[in-house]
Amino acid sequence: MLPESLRRFASRSAQAVVVCLAGALTLASVPATAHASPDPLARYHRQHLTWKSCVLGPDDDTGKELRQAGAQCADVTVPLNYDAPDGRTITVAISRIRATDTKHRVGALLLNGGGPGGPTIGDPPWVRETMKDVGRRYDVVGVDPRFVGRSTPLDCHWPTGSFIRGAGTGRAGFDHSTALARELAQLCRTHEGDVLPYVTTRNTARDMDVIRAALGERRISYLGYSYGSYLGQVYATMFPGRTDRVVLDGVLSADRYSPRLLRSARAANRHALKDWAVWAAARDVTYGLGRTRDAVLAAVDRVQAAAARTPLSLGGHRVDDHLVPVIVFNGLSQDNDAAYGDLAQAVRDMRRAADGHAVTPAPWLADTLSFVLTGSGSHYGSVQTAILCGDVAAPRDPETYWRDVQRARRKDPLFGPVTDNIGPCAFWDPPREHPTTIRDDLSALLVNATGDPRTTYQSAQTVRRMWPASRLVTLRGAYQHAVYGVFGSSCVDATVNRYLADGRLPRADVTCAT
């Protein structure tokens, strides 16, 4: 559940940052008897895909990158409601770079870059590049999940791209957050109420299986980042025997997946903030935030205190104490100089605004403010929230959140009011289905950094214990969310590529140094 700027890693080549199945068939063949049930999804499984150029127009940079990489695009038709497959349909947009080493072809590798709600259709070029020679043996397939990106759209017409806010400094601030959460939920009910019950991870997994069948594949391989790791677990549970090689990077354990999943990441974000503060202190000449870690952290606290007194004026936007911690949180997902520099510039700009200066925010901060304070990211925030609320019920009493915020504030005054705050799911209709009970074991390659501030290392360890046949690749000493092909670890990338090449997991868990 991350703002879009936190998951651009999933499109970094264009960038710049989680049981009854209606209509599902088992892999085993059905005896040809008079009593055999027909496949209610046959027309979806057997549909003919029309492959075409991915370029939508002269300003479509994603499409141009896909074309340059040799990709083509298609729309896959799926039912809105799998309980009524003869009813309304929607489309799911996919892209594909076909295997060139057809003699040694493995099959299709489906991608999901996380979010939830993040588009993945533009990712095959950089994933194919990361795979090096083994990429020639796969059809690398990007998927915009239902209602995401180029798929059938969903938009609640929000005035923001994310429901994530801090609770402010007192009860009045929390009540303001509650009013916003209620308003956002009502906007979704008003504009998209007829489809909201079907915006779920389980339906996305069902769509994946339709894509598998439409591509003519008996099994698919899968690479999922962040929330995509949870989607991979759900798919493998709902469709046993239909996965080949599975890589889950930034591993989200099912026991932590809910509309309140950020609560489990509070401590990891505090550690990441301290690491950033050490980095910024070493560059005081450039950013002027302080010469020690504690001085830099104090500068952040002063900005938050100033915003609580009077909202900061930044490039036409007003930034209050609900937003300052979200901006800081937003800057802590990638462990590299560019990302750390963006956050340092943002804190510098906010401090100057707090001192009364007229400030034109630096590009990263300007983009973040536009995303959070305008409707430019409404589509993204709408879908992300609909998935989270449609998957797992959230507590409905605002007093539950108020008590949690107060407890969290005592532990972490900056991030506690963000991670434990109320959101639209408190005012959402109950989910149509129960959450998926994830299977006990799967042979998969898990990847996680020890300091991951989004999907924590403890989460990856939980999945590793649950799946003893799997292996865990650890990137030690990095405050990094998503590693393979993103961080630049030759150890991690080579380990994943060996697995994709031969399908054999390492004999033991692997630890890579930064």
Side-chain angles (χ1 to χ4, degrees):
M1 50 184 294
L2 312 175
E4 186 168 8
S5 51
L6 293 186
R7 54 164 313 284
R8 285 180 181 166
F9 69 85
S11 57
R12 65 180 177 83
S13 63
Q15 60 178 278
V17 124
V18 296
V19 176
C20 173
L21 173 64
L25 298 178
T26 63
L27 279 176
S29 59
V30 179
T33 70
H35 302 289
S37 299
D39 176 8
L41 299 178
R43 70 183 179 110
Y44 301 103
H45 289 159
R46 299 169 186 168
Q47 66 185 288
H48 173 75
L49 300 183
T50 301
W51 295 97
K52 57 191 177 184
S53 171
C54 297
V55 180
L56 299 182
D59 299 324
D60 181 12
D61 293 336
T62 297
K64 292 175 183 178
E65 289 190 4
L66 287 165
R67 180 176 61 188
Q68 185 176 0
Q72 289 187 306
C73 289
D75 292 323
V76 181
T77 300
V78 298
L80 171 67
N81 177 6
Y82 277 85
D83 286 333
D86 294 329
R88 179 177 171 182
T89 64
I90 58 175
T91 59
V92 174
I94 66 174
S95 62
R96 179 178 68 177
I97 301 176
R98 302 203 71 168
T100 55
D101 184 358
T102 55
K103 183 178 180 180
H104 302 98
R105 181 180 181 276
V106 177
L109 175 69
L110 268 63
L111 312 176
N112 184 278
T120 308
I121 201 168
D123 291 354
W126 71 260
V127 171
R128 171 65 183 79
E129 181 181 352
T130 301
M131 294 171 73
K132 299 187 182 302
D133 287 344
V134 71
R136 298 185 294 112
R137 299 172 55 197
Y138 283 86
D139 290 353
V140 183
V141 180
V143 180
D144 278 356
R146 56 171 50 203
F147 303 111
V148 171
R150 300 188 183 196
S151 299
T152 297
L154 179 152
D155 192 340
C156 298
H157 302 284
W158 282 3
T160 179
S162 174
F163 71 83
I164 300 173
R165 294 290 190 277
T169 53
R171 180 67 197 220
F174 173 77
D175 290 344
H176 177 76
S177 291
T178 302
L180 175 63
R182 183 183 286 110
E183 176 191 357
L184 297 180
Q186 184 57 48
L187 284 170
C188 280
R189 191 174 292 111
T190 298
H191 293 287
E192 299 285 2
D194 58 335
V195 301
L196 291 182
Y198 312 107
V199 192
T200 66
T201 298
R202 287 177 63 82
N203 279 327
T204 298
R206 293 173 175 128
D207 294 345
M208 285 173 56
D209 204 58
V210 170
I211 294 169
R212 173 201 60 77
L215 291 174
E217 302 289 342
R218 181 176 178 272
R219 298 192 299 172
I220 55 172
S221 294
Y222 180 78
L223 169 61
Y225 292 92
S226 191
Y227 160 81
S229 71
Y230 175 70
L231 173 61
Q233 296 170 56
V234 172
Y235 179 80
T237 298
M238 293 177 65
F239 298 93
R242 295 185 185 174
T243 58
D244 186 1
R245 299 164 200 190
V246 175
V247 180
L248 307 181
D249 189 328
V251 186
L252 178 59
S253 61
D255 65 328
R256 297 176 186 230
Y257 177 74
S258 80
R260 310 189 74 193
L261 61 85
L262 289 182
R263 299 177 75 198
S264 64
R266 186 193 324 121
N269 277 276
R270 173 54 60 173
H271 289 307
L273 180 64
K274 291 178 180 178
D275 186 71
W276 166 80
V278 171
W279 183 94
R283 294 158 178 82
D284 181 58
V285 172
T286 302
Y287 301 106
L289 299 178
R291 297 181 180 179
T292 66
R293 184 194 74 174
D294 289 346
V296 173
L297 294 174
V300 174
D301 291 338
R302 285 196 298 272
V303 168
Q304 172 71 343
R309 292 191 297 269
T310 305
L312 313 179
S313 180
L314 288 148
H317 297 294
R318 291 171 62 80
V319 178
D320 59 15
D321 55 337
H322 295 271
L323 293 176
V324 168
V326 175
I327 292 168
V328 177
F329 185 94
N330 196 5
L332 298 171
S333 70
Q334 303 296 290
D335 188 346
N336 58 61
D337 287 349
Y340 275 13
D342 285 340
L343 178 56
Q345 287 180 325
V347 174
R348 182 185 61 187
D349 287 348
M350 289 190 292
R351 190 179 68 176
R352 292 186 67 244
D355 292 338
H357 298 287
V359 177
T360 300
W364 178 83
L365 178 57
D367 288 347
T368 301
L369 293 177
S370 177
F371 182 86
V372 175
L373 291 174
T374 75
S376 62
S378 171
H379 168 64
Y380 178 85
S382 301
V383 178
Q384 179 178 88
T385 307
I387 295 170
L388 290 165
C389 301
D391 280 348
V392 183
R396 305 192 70 83
D397 185 359
E399 295 306 313
T400 298
Y401 298 90
W402 171 244
R403 290 191 294 269
D404 289 345
V405 164
Q406 293 299 85
R407 283 193 291 265
R409 192 194 308 276
R410 288 192 289 270
K411 296 179 180 179
D412 189 329
L414 184 68
F415 290 142
V418 175
T419 59
D420 287 60
N421 200 16
I422 195 168
C425 296
F427 306 101
W428 216 264
D429 292 340
R432 290 184 76 244
E433 298 184 85
H434 293 295
T436 306
T437 301
I438 302 301
R439 58 185 293 178
D440 291 335
D441 193 15
L442 179 71
S443 175
L445 189 64
L446 315 175
V447 182
N448 227 90
T450 54
D452 189 331
R454 296 295 179 265
T455 52
T456 66
Y457 188 60
Q458 290 76 16
S459 182
Q461 290 177 310
T462 296
V463 177
R464 174 66 179 88
R465 287 192 295 270
M466 183 174 70
W467 291 351
S470 295
R471 297 292 180 268
L472 175 60
V473 183
T474 299
L475 177 65
R476 185 162 298 283
Y479 294 91
Q480 172 70 28
H481 182 52
V483 181
Y484 173 67
V486 181
F487 183 75
S489 168
S490 58
C491 172
V492 171
D493 292 357
T495 302
V496 173
N497 286 341
R498 280 194 296 271
Y499 168 63
L500 292 174
D502 59 26
R504 293 194 295 271
L505 290 167
R507 293 184 177 180
D509 292 343
V510 176
T511 299
C512 297
T514 53

